[in-house]
Amino acid sequence: MKSLGYSRRMATLATAAALVVGGLAGCAKEDTGGTTEGGVALIKAGALTTCTHLPYAPFQAPDETGKVVGFDVALVDLVAKKLGVTQEIIDTPFEGIKSGSDLNAGKCDIAAAGMTITDERKQVLDFSDPYFDATQALAVLTGNQVKTLEELAGKRVGVQGGTTGEDYIKTQVEQKSLDIEVVSYKDLAAQQQALATKQVDAAVNDLPVWNEYIKNNVGKVEVAAGFDTGEQYGFAVKKGNAELLKAVNESLAAARADGTYDQIYATWIGAKPTA
Amino acid sequence: MVFALVILAVVTAADWATLSDAFFRLDIAQGMFPEAITVALRNTVLYTLLAFVFGLVLGLILALMRLSSILPYRWFATAYIELFRGLPSLLVLFMVGYGVPLAFPDREIPGGVYGSVTLGLGLTAAAYMAETLRAGIQAVPKGQLEAARTLGMSHTRAMISIILPQAFRIVIPPLTNEIILLTKDTSLVYVLGVTSTTIELTKFAGDALNTRVNPTPLVVAGLLYLLITLPLSQLVRGLERRAARER
């Protein structure tokens, strides 16, 4: 009787342990995903989940009704349409996007965040074909006669933390040993606010971003200089997710071929530069 | 029992080689020094102290106003405490960092980031500390004030020489807790925009995590926070023991 009681207790313990371990393993991956007809596995059935960081107009930002719209959104919508699902957008810090942790953690299927393709990021993400040629631009308050970084000696320049703009300025400051204080802001909104409230004398971000800001704040800010860094934007998927990457690239190629890309470009960015 | 099982399950299920590679990469940890100490930890401590001193002074004034016999003083102090205790520190920081410059263009908060942090975190801390100090003052037996007054001291004199010293001794443990909370709240400072010289621990670790794509910096930063908070907790415990013995 005693031995039976002991073994029963052991069995209970073993079951409990198995449950706990199973539960822990279960936490790691929730199986609510789905697969589209084309064989692309998605983390959530019926939706292409996109990670981005808001606001980043004109690439992605909420409109008056709170719906997230923009150049990136429109292009990813094409991918979602091709897969026969709808796009769902998750707003998450840029650090998690570019480090690949959001994709690896199964937070989203694709990252679309006006993200420049870099060798560093390629180590943790698989990038699509480039979909946008980006240049960095220096924005100043209107009336500020600055044209180059050198003229900003002794001044403060705002950057968006974790972006290629920040890397570019920090490298320039180091290489040319410029006397510039680089202030890193947590997102575009904070950076623009800092420029508007004169907490920095100039700010560096992608050119289309400033163009959009100037459109909405006429006469307050102007672009003082552009830096052609040869950057290109790419969408990113989890490393090894070849099926989704193929679908993204096919969708981009199709959009470029049938003129949809140009239409979307004209809507969000403006007239296409002649190059 | 269940708790022990969970620990056992975690210990046996974990892949220790991968974990140590992810969280304890010595080379990455070493790369963070000495800046982790000379800049990040230093600023974290500095922000904490600035906000604490500001909060303590303002908190004391508020506590005295709240106990004052003059009605408008009491109203003001109560309104202030309820307002700032109810607002998230992050919101107050945004207000100070972005709201104030918008409302008062061409005026600057003195001290740059340090000034903004002092104000942003200190305004909230003052609300908490005012309540703590008030409780401390009220905990001093009434007879003490009456005795002092009988000796011919003015109310102000009695407050300064008799009541407040005793009150402060009573509130040292809760005030130390406030420092610990403030230390952690300094992680919010990065929303104000930080430079390589004004960076604090959390943002510093976040940046290192970004460039190295490895969570080791987070562990290092965590240990550095503990380096500040553990001795403080120890101090509180020691003071409480001493107070208990004296009673």
Side-chain angles (χ1 to χ4, degrees):
Chain A
M1 200 58 209
K2 202 170 191 184
S3 70
L4 181 70
Y6 178 72
S7 67
R8 184 180 287 170
R9 193 181 298 164
M10 280 308 283
T12 317
L13 273 182
T15 316
L19 278 175
V20 168
V21 173
L24 284 172
C27 292
K29 196 167 170 36
E30 244 175 284
D31 199 19
T32 57
T35 307
T36 65
E37 283 168 26
V40 177
L42 297 172
I43 56 156
K44 199 173 152 198
L48 179 65
T49 316
T50 306
C51 274
T52 195
H53 185 57
L54 302 175
Y56 202 69
F59 297 97
Q60 51 273 118
D63 65 5
E64 289 85 4
T65 63
K67 191 172 178 289
V68 178
V69 294
F71 185 67
D72 284 3
V73 180
L75 286 179
V76 175
D77 268 342
L78 297 179
V79 181
K81 198 172 153 200
K82 181 181 159 69
L83 296 174
V85 295
T86 51
Q87 181 181 191
E88 249 178 51
I89 293 175
I90 296 178
D91 183 16
T92 173
F94 192 53
E95 282 81 0
I97 296 173
K98 68 158 202 174
S99 68
S101 54
D102 284 347
L103 289 165
N104 285 330
K107 209 186 222 179
C108 41
D109 299 304
I110 184 170
M115 179 161 53
T116 305
I117 303 171
T118 69
D119 287 338
E120 255 176 5
R121 293 173 186 172
K122 270 188 200 160
Q123 289 173 13
V124 288
L125 301 166
D126 277 350
F127 276 104
S128 71
D129 294 333
Y131 66 87
F132 186 78
D133 294 325
T135 51
Q136 296 290 327
L138 183 75
V140 294
L141 290 178
T142 306
N144 205 331
Q145 297 298 323
V146 173
K147 285 285 166 233
T148 64
L149 278 180
E150 282 78 2
E151 289 171 45
L152 284 165
K155 300 258 174 72
R156 290 156 67 86
V157 175
V159 297
Q160 185 179 348
T163 61
T164 48
E166 178 181 37
D167 294 343
Y168 176 77
I169 292 302
K170 284 192 167 161
T171 316
Q172 289 289 309
V173 167
E174 210 168 296
Q175 280 176 358
K176 299 179 181 169
S177 20
L178 299 171
D179 176 26
I180 289 177
E181 200 178 351
V182 182
V183 191
S184 172
Y185 289 92
K186 77 174 185 47
D187 55 26
L188 176 68
Q191 186 196 14
Q192 288 174 337
Q193 194 74 285
L195 179 66
T197 54
K198 298 182 188 168
Q199 295 176 55
V200 290
D201 302 283
V204 173
N205 214 312
D206 294 40
L207 179 61
V209 164
W210 290 124
N211 284 339
E212 183 73 15
Y213 185 75
I214 290 164
K215 222 193 299 175
N216 298 321
N217 296 273
V218 180
K220 284 188 186 154
V221 168
E222 61 188 32
V223 170
F227 310 113
D228 198 356
T229 51
E231 289 175 31
Q232 290 183 308
Y233 285 175
F235 298 122
V237 300
K238 184 178 170 178
K239 254 200 151 355
N241 192 351
E243 295 86 14
L244 180 57
L245 196 63
K246 189 165 158 259
V248 174
N249 283 335
E250 281 174 5
S251 163
L252 278 175
R256 282 188 194 270
D258 68 7
T260 320
Y261 178 90
D262 289 340
Q263 247 173 35
I264 293 174
Y265 195 103
T267 307
W268 295 104
I269 313 292
K272 200 155 191 188
T274 44
Chain B
M1 192 66 214
V2 175
F3 184 65
L5 272 175
V6 170
I7 298 217
L8 186 78
V10 170
V11 168
T12 50
D15 178 351
W16 286 102
T18 316
L19 268 186
S20 85
D21 192 47
F23 290 104
F24 306 105
R25 282 266 303 275
L26 265 186
D27 56 320
I28 291 182
Q30 275 164 1
M32 294 171 70
F33 292 94
E35 289 82 10
I37 303 279
T38 55
V39 181
L41 182 67
R42 181 183 151 270
N43 278 332
T44 296
V45 172
L46 198 60
Y47 292 145
T48 308
L49 288 180
L50 283 171
F52 181 75
V53 170
F54 180 87
L56 189 63
V57 172
L58 184 59
L60 181 61
I61 297 170
L62 287 166
L64 292 174
M65 284 172 89
R66 188 131 196 221
L67 293 170
S68 160
S69 53
I70 301 164
L71 206 53
Y73 281 1
R74 283 217 300 279
W75 283 341
F76 176 82
T78 308
Y80 181 96
I81 290 165
E82 292 305 330
L83 177 66
F84 279 94
R85 214 168 42 166
L87 297 178
S89 304
L90 188 59
L91 188 84
V92 179
L93 266 182
F94 272 129
M95 273 290 180
V96 170
Y98 299 103
V100 173
L102 270 184
F104 305 98
D106 303 318
R107 296 284 290 275
E108 262 182 47
I109 295 173
V113 177
Y114 294 98
S116 304
V117 173
T118 308
L119 212 57
L121 294 179
L123 285 172
T124 306
Y128 285 101
M129 284 196 259
E131 281 299 86
T132 306
L133 288 168
R134 179 180 63 96
I137 293 168
Q138 286 178 330
V140 177
K142 251 204 167 99
Q144 296 280 327
L145 184 67
E146 284 162 6
R149 298 283 282 151
T150 318
L151 289 173
M153 282 189 195
S154 70
H155 185 87
T156 317
R157 182 81 236 156
M159 257 308 185
I160 292 170
S161 340
I162 308 291
I163 306 298
L164 285 181
Q166 297 186 68
F168 265 104
R169 249 180 78 183
I170 295 169
V171 298
I172 283 178
L175 280 188
T176 316
N177 280 336
E178 185 58 39
I179 298 191
I180 293 175
L181 290 176
L182 264 177
T183 305
K184 293 183 291 179
D185 271 357
T186 56
S187 64
L188 302 172
V189 166
Y190 88 102
V191 303
L192 295 177
V194 290
T195 67
S196 52
T197 55
T198 61
I199 198 163
E200 46 66 54
L201 264 174
T202 297
K203 169 77 171 150
F204 182 79
D207 283 357
L209 168 79
N210 260 333
T211 44
R212 307 303 296 263
V213 198
N214 181 290
T216 303
L218 303 182
V219 176
V220 173
L223 291 174
L224 289 176
Y225 274 112
L226 292 179
L227 202 66
I228 309 172
T229 56
L230 285 183
L232 281 174
S233 311
Q234 203 58 45
L235 180 77
V236 175
R237 236 167 276 141
L239 288 168
E240 276 170 351
R241 263 199 303 275
R242 220 180 71 181
R245 240 184 292 127
E246 279 174 7
R247 220 158 265 159

